Amino acid sequence: SEILYSNRLKAMEVIPDDFDMDKEITRGEISEIVCRIYNLDYTSGGSRIFSDVDEDNPYYQAIDMVYTHGIISGFGDGSFRPNETITNEQMIKILISMTGYDDIASQYGGYPSGYMKIAGENDVLAPDTAGTDIVTGRKLAYSVSAETCSQRNFVRNIGFGRSPTSVLKLDL
């Protein structure tokens, strides 16, 4: 159930206990969430990569970290748009990139169609929200659920600081 999914993310300290599961998630927030999933140190350093992400942005270092690891990219105009709500297509791209399947997505046409094809074949999005274009905490919890993925026996360790037994499992 989605309560189980969200409780697992809270137990992993990916989202705080008071996280509103119906809240829309921004591009900046998802950057921090990805860092927490992989236990990436995003508390120091960083460089200004995007024109609209200054050092005083609360997600500055997390954005730099996920960009450096190739999980999230910006827009053609040099911006990141950290305060924009993340879309389904963007979330799917992140999830597929986190599992190391960018090459396969490229073979299927790249962003967004290749990533959406992989997601569609593997039930990555929550069934009750798949028709909407926004990503809420509820959709995130379903999509990155260790429980759902362990049922499918899919584990991919991309080597970002977690042991193979505790690495994030995705719906692929």
Side-chain angles (χ1 to χ4, degrees), residues 42-62:
Y42 62 95
T43 59
S44 63
S47 58
R48 184 159 186 202
I49 298 167
F50 300 104
S51 60
D52 59 343
V53 183
D54 295 322
E55 289 183 27
D56 61 343
N57 184 297
Y59 303 110
Y60 173 77
Q61 292 156 325

PDB file of all heavy atoms in Angstrom, residues 42-62:
ATOM      1  N   TYR A  42      25.730  16.016  -0.246  1.00  0.00           N
ATOM      2  CA  TYR A  42      25.392  17.217  -0.990  1.00  0.00           C
ATOM      3  C   TYR A  42      25.411  18.448  -0.084  1.00  0.00           C
ATOM      4  O   TYR A  42      24.823  19.472  -0.406  1.00  0.00           O
ATOM      5  CB  TYR A  42      24.025  17.070  -1.668  1.00  0.00           C
ATOM      6  CG  TYR A  42      22.880  16.886  -0.693  1.00  0.00           C
ATOM      7  CD1 TYR A  42      22.122  17.963  -0.266  1.00  0.00           C
ATOM      8  CD2 TYR A  42      22.568  15.626  -0.198  1.00  0.00           C
ATOM      9  CE1 TYR A  42      21.080  17.794   0.625  1.00  0.00           C
ATOM     10  CE2 TYR A  42      21.528  15.447   0.693  1.00  0.00           C
ATOM     11  CZ  TYR A  42      20.794  16.537   1.090  1.00  0.00           C
ATOM     12  OH  TYR A  42      19.761  16.368   1.979  1.00  0.00           O
ATOM     13  N   THR A  43      26.116  18.346   1.032  1.00  0.00           N
ATOM     14  CA  THR A  43      26.113  19.432   2.008  1.00  0.00           C
ATOM     15  C   THR A  43      27.272  20.404   1.844  1.00  0.00           C
ATOM     16  O   THR A  43      27.329  21.403   2.545  1.00  0.00           O
ATOM     17  CB  THR A  43      26.125  18.874   3.440  1.00  0.00           C
ATOM     18  OG1 THR A  43      27.302  18.067   3.600  1.00  0.00           O
ATOM     19  CG2 THR A  43      24.879  18.042   3.700  1.00  0.00           C
ATOM     20  N   SER A  44      28.185  20.130   0.967  1.00  0.00           N
ATOM     21  CA  SER A  44      29.306  21.050   0.774  1.00  0.00           C
ATOM     22  C   SER A  44      29.713  21.072  -0.685  1.00  0.00           C
ATOM     23  O   SER A  44      29.381  20.172  -1.456  1.00  0.00           O
ATOM     24  CB  SER A  44      30.500  20.640   1.638  1.00  0.00           C
ATOM     25  OG  SER A  44      30.962  19.365   1.248  1.00  0.00           O
ATOM     26  N   GLY A  45      30.442  22.080  -1.041  1.00  0.00           N
ATOM     27  CA  GLY A  45      30.940  22.181  -2.409  1.00  0.00           C
ATOM     28  C   GLY A  45      29.873  22.599  -3.381  1.00  0.00           C
ATOM     29  O   GLY A  45      28.897  23.244  -3.033  1.00  0.00           O
ATOM     30  N   GLY A  46      30.060  22.215  -4.611  1.00  0.00           N
ATOM     31  CA  GLY A  46      29.125  22.570  -5.659  1.00  0.00           C
ATOM     32  C   GLY A  46      29.690  23.661  -6.541  1.00  0.00           C
ATOM     33  O   GLY A  46      30.603  24.385  -6.164  1.00  0.00           O
ATOM     34  N   SER A  47      29.152  23.734  -7.731  1.00  0.00           N
ATOM     35  CA  SER A  47      29.549  24.788  -8.642  1.00  0.00           C
ATOM     36  C   SER A  47      28.313  25.277  -9.379  1.00  0.00           C
ATOM     37  O   SER A  47      27.342  24.538  -9.519  1.00  0.00           O
ATOM     38  CB  SER A  47      30.597  24.276  -9.635  1.00  0.00           C
ATOM     39  OG  SER A  47      30.091  23.182 -10.350  1.00  0.00           O
ATOM     40  N   ARG A  48      28.370  26.498  -9.808  1.00  0.00           N
ATOM     41  CA  ARG A  48      27.204  27.068 -10.480  1.00  0.00           C
ATOM     42  C   ARG A  48      27.166  26.563 -11.915  1.00  0.00           C
ATOM     43  O   ARG A  48      27.972  26.949 -12.752  1.00  0.00           O
ATOM     44  CB  ARG A  48      27.242  28.583 -10.443  1.00  0.00           C
ATOM     45  CG  ARG A  48      25.985  29.148 -11.058  1.00  0.00           C
ATOM     46  CD  ARG A  48      25.706  30.536 -10.639  1.00  0.00           C
ATOM     47  NE  ARG A  48      24.413  30.910 -11.179  1.00  0.00           N
ATOM     48  CZ  ARG A  48      24.045  32.138 -11.365  1.00  0.00           C
ATOM     49  NH1 ARG A  48      24.849  33.120 -11.040  1.00  0.00           N
ATOM     50  NH2 ARG A  48      22.863  32.409 -11.864  1.00  0.00           N
ATOM     51  N   ILE A  49      26.221  25.709 -12.180  1.00  0.00           N
ATOM     52  CA  ILE A  49      26.073  25.102 -13.491  1.00  0.00           C
ATOM     53  C   ILE A  49      24.921  25.752 -14.252  1.00  0.00           C
ATOM     54  O   ILE A  49      25.005  25.942 -15.458  1.00  0.00           O
ATOM     55  CB  ILE A  49      25.834  23.587 -13.352  1.00  0.00           C
ATOM     56  CG1 ILE A  49      27.040  22.943 -12.687  1.00  0.00           C
ATOM     57  CG2 ILE A  49      25.533  22.943 -14.688  1.00  0.00           C
ATOM     58  CD1 ILE A  49      26.813  21.534 -12.222  1.00  0.00           C
ATOM     59  N   PHE A  50      23.869  26.113 -13.545  1.00  0.00           N
ATOM     60  CA  PHE A  50      22.665  26.629 -14.179  1.00  0.00           C
ATOM     61  C   PHE A  50      22.478  28.115 -13.870  1.00  0.00           C
ATOM     62  O   PHE A  50      22.733  28.564 -12.752  1.00  0.00           O
ATOM     63  CB  PHE A  50      21.444  25.836 -13.715  1.00  0.00           C
ATOM     64  CG  PHE A  50      21.555  24.377 -14.049  1.00  0.00           C
ATOM     65  CD1 PHE A  50      21.853  23.444 -13.074  1.00  0.00           C
ATOM     66  CD2 PHE A  50      21.380  23.948 -15.355  1.00  0.00           C
ATOM     67  CE1 PHE A  50      21.972  22.105 -13.388  1.00  0.00           C
ATOM     68  CE2 PHE A  50      21.499  22.605 -15.683  1.00  0.00           C
ATOM     69  CZ  PHE A  50      21.792  21.684 -14.699  1.00  0.00           C
ATOM     70  N   SER A  51      21.982  28.838 -14.838  1.00  0.00           N
ATOM     71  CA  SER A  51      21.829  30.285 -14.719  1.00  0.00           C
ATOM     72  C   SER A  51      20.849  30.702 -13.633  1.00  0.00           C
ATOM     73  O   SER A  51      20.961  31.802 -13.088  1.00  0.00           O
ATOM     74  CB  SER A  51      21.380  30.875 -16.056  1.00  0.00           C
ATOM     75  OG  SER A  51      20.127  30.319 -16.457  1.00  0.00           O
ATOM     76  N   ASP A  52      19.913  29.849 -13.278  1.00  0.00           N
ATOM     77  CA  ASP A  52      18.892  30.214 -12.299  1.00  0.00           C
ATOM     78  C   ASP A  52      19.046  29.504 -10.952  1.00  0.00           C
ATOM     79  O   ASP A  52      18.130  29.471 -10.141  1.00  0.00           O
ATOM     80  CB  ASP A  52      17.500  29.939 -12.860  1.00  0.00           C
ATOM     81  CG  ASP A  52      17.280  28.478 -13.242  1.00  0.00           C
ATOM     82  OD1 ASP A  52      18.275  27.738 -13.383  1.00  0.00           O
ATOM     83  OD2 ASP A  52      16.111  28.088 -13.405  1.00  0.00           O
ATOM     84  N   VAL A  53      20.217  28.924 -10.691  1.00  0.00           N
ATOM     85  CA  VAL A  53      20.463  28.257  -9.413  1.00  0.00           C
ATOM     86  C   VAL A  53      21.695  28.897  -8.777  1.00  0.00           C
ATOM     87  O   VAL A  53      22.830  28.534  -9.087  1.00  0.00           O
ATOM     88  CB  VAL A  53      20.660  26.730  -9.573  1.00  0.00           C
ATOM     89  CG1 VAL A  53      20.845  26.075  -8.207  1.00  0.00           C
ATOM     90  CG2 VAL A  53      19.479  26.108 -10.304  1.00  0.00           C
ATOM     91  N   ASP A  54      21.448  29.867  -7.895  1.00  0.00           N
ATOM     92  CA  ASP A  54      22.521  30.558  -7.181  1.00  0.00           C
ATOM     93  C   ASP A  54      22.910  29.786  -5.930  1.00  0.00           C
ATOM     94  O   ASP A  54      22.171  28.910  -5.467  1.00  0.00           O
ATOM     95  CB  ASP A  54      22.068  31.965  -6.772  1.00  0.00           C
ATOM     96  CG  ASP A  54      21.804  32.852  -7.978  1.00  0.00           C
ATOM     97  OD1 ASP A  54      22.569  32.751  -8.956  1.00  0.00           O
ATOM     98  OD2 ASP A  54      20.829  33.624  -7.933  1.00  0.00           O
ATOM     99  N   GLU A  55      24.043  30.148  -5.351  1.00  0.00           N
ATOM    100  CA  GLU A  55      24.529  29.484  -4.137  1.00  0.00           C
ATOM    101  C   GLU A  55      23.562  29.603  -2.963  1.00  0.00           C
ATOM    102  O   GLU A  55      23.594  28.777  -2.063  1.00  0.00           O
ATOM    103  CB  GLU A  55      25.892  30.038  -3.743  1.00  0.00           C
ATOM    104  CG  GLU A  55      26.991  29.614  -4.686  1.00  0.00           C
ATOM    105  CD  GLU A  55      28.354  30.105  -4.240  1.00  0.00           C
ATOM    106  OE1 GLU A  55      28.563  30.310  -3.028  1.00  0.00           O
ATOM    107  OE2 GLU A  55      29.213  30.287  -5.119  1.00  0.00           O
ATOM    108  N   ASP A  56      22.693  30.600  -2.963  1.00  0.00           N
ATOM    109  CA  ASP A  56      21.746  30.755  -1.858  1.00  0.00           C
ATOM    110  C   ASP A  56      20.489  29.899  -2.041  1.00  0.00           C
ATOM    111  O   ASP A  56      19.630  29.834  -1.163  1.00  0.00           O
ATOM    112  CB  ASP A  56      21.377  32.225  -1.658  1.00  0.00           C
ATOM    113  CG  ASP A  56      20.699  32.854  -2.872  1.00  0.00           C
ATOM    114  OD1 ASP A  56      20.788  32.288  -3.978  1.00  0.00           O
ATOM    115  OD2 ASP A  56      20.096  33.933  -2.704  1.00  0.00           O
ATOM    116  N   ASN A  57      20.369  29.187  -3.154  1.00  0.00           N
ATOM    117  CA  ASN A  57      19.246  28.291  -3.364  1.00  0.00           C
ATOM    118  C   ASN A  57      19.418  27.085  -2.436  1.00  0.00           C
ATOM    119  O   ASN A  57      20.493  26.483  -2.389  1.00  0.00           O
ATOM    120  CB  ASN A  57      19.210  27.831  -4.827  1.00  0.00           C
ATOM    121  CG  ASN A  57      18.004  26.971  -5.132  1.00  0.00           C
ATOM    122  OD1 ASN A  57      17.844  25.885  -4.580  1.00  0.00           O
ATOM    123  ND2 ASN A  57      17.161  27.451  -6.022  1.00  0.00           N
ATOM    124  N   PRO A  58      18.367  26.698  -1.690  1.00  0.00           N
ATOM    125  CA  PRO A  58      18.515  25.586  -0.742  1.00  0.00           C
ATOM    126  C   PRO A  58      18.871  24.246  -1.398  1.00  0.00           C
ATOM    127  O   PRO A  58      19.352  23.336  -0.729  1.00  0.00           O
ATOM    128  CB  PRO A  58      17.144  25.502  -0.058  1.00  0.00           C
ATOM    129  CG  PRO A  58      16.211  26.237  -0.947  1.00  0.00           C
ATOM    130  CD  PRO A  58      17.026  27.253  -1.692  1.00  0.00           C
ATOM    131  N   TYR A  59      18.667  24.127  -2.695  1.00  0.00           N
ATOM    132  CA  TYR A  59      18.954  22.879  -3.390  1.00  0.00           C
ATOM    133  C   TYR A  59      20.208  22.969  -4.262  1.00  0.00           C
ATOM    134  O   TYR A  59      20.500  22.059  -5.030  1.00  0.00           O
ATOM    135  CB  TYR A  59      17.747  22.463  -4.247  1.00  0.00           C
ATOM    136  CG  TYR A  59      16.501  22.335  -3.421  1.00  0.00           C
ATOM    137  CD1 TYR A  59      15.463  23.255  -3.543  1.00  0.00           C
ATOM    138  CD2 TYR A  59      16.359  21.311  -2.501  1.00  0.00           C
ATOM    139  CE1 TYR A  59      14.323  23.154  -2.770  1.00  0.00           C
ATOM    140  CE2 TYR A  59      15.228  21.201  -1.723  1.00  0.00           C
ATOM    141  CZ  TYR A  59      14.209  22.122  -1.864  1.00  0.00           C
ATOM    142  OH  TYR A  59      13.087  22.011  -1.100  1.00  0.00           O
ATOM    143  N   TYR A  60      20.948  24.033  -4.124  1.00  0.00           N
ATOM    144  CA  TYR A  60      22.128  24.308  -4.959  1.00  0.00           C
ATOM    145  C   TYR A  60      23.080  23.117  -5.038  1.00  0.00           C
ATOM    146  O   TYR A  60      23.432  22.653  -6.120  1.00  0.00           O
ATOM    147  CB  TYR A  60      22.836  25.546  -4.415  1.00  0.00           C
ATOM    148  CG  TYR A  60      24.165  25.871  -5.054  1.00  0.00           C
ATOM    149  CD1 TYR A  60      24.226  26.463  -6.309  1.00  0.00           C
ATOM    150  CD2 TYR A  60      25.357  25.600  -4.397  1.00  0.00           C
ATOM    151  CE1 TYR A  60      25.442  26.769  -6.897  1.00  0.00           C
ATOM    152  CE2 TYR A  60      26.582  25.907  -4.974  1.00  0.00           C
ATOM    153  CZ  TYR A  60      26.611  26.493  -6.222  1.00  0.00           C
ATOM    154  OH  TYR A  60      27.814  26.797  -6.804  1.00  0.00           O
ATOM    155  N   GLN A  61      23.494  22.616  -3.898  1.00  0.00           N
ATOM    156  CA  GLN A  61      24.477  21.526  -3.869  1.00  0.00           C
ATOM    157  C   GLN A  61      23.882  20.195  -4.330  1.00  0.00           C
ATOM    158  O   GLN A  61      24.545  19.407  -5.005  1.00  0.00           O
ATOM    159  CB  GLN A  61      25.086  21.413  -2.476  1.00  0.00           C
ATOM    160  CG  GLN A  61      25.943  22.637  -2.174  1.00  0.00           C
ATOM    161  CD  GLN A  61      26.108  22.886  -0.700  1.00  0.00           C
ATOM    162  OE1 GLN A  61      25.196  22.645   0.076  1.00  0.00           O
ATOM    163  NE2 GLN A  61      27.275  23.385  -0.316  1.00  0.00           N
ATOM    164  N   ALA A  62      22.632  19.954  -3.991  1.00  0.00           N
ATOM    165  CA  ALA A  62      21.982  18.718  -4.434  1.00  0.00           C
ATOM    166  C   ALA A  62      21.825  18.716  -5.954  1.00  0.00           C
ATOM    167  O   ALA A  62      22.063  17.695  -6.604  1.00  0.00           O
ATOM    168  CB  ALA A  62      20.621  18.562  -3.758  1.00  0.00           C
TER     169      ALA A  62
END
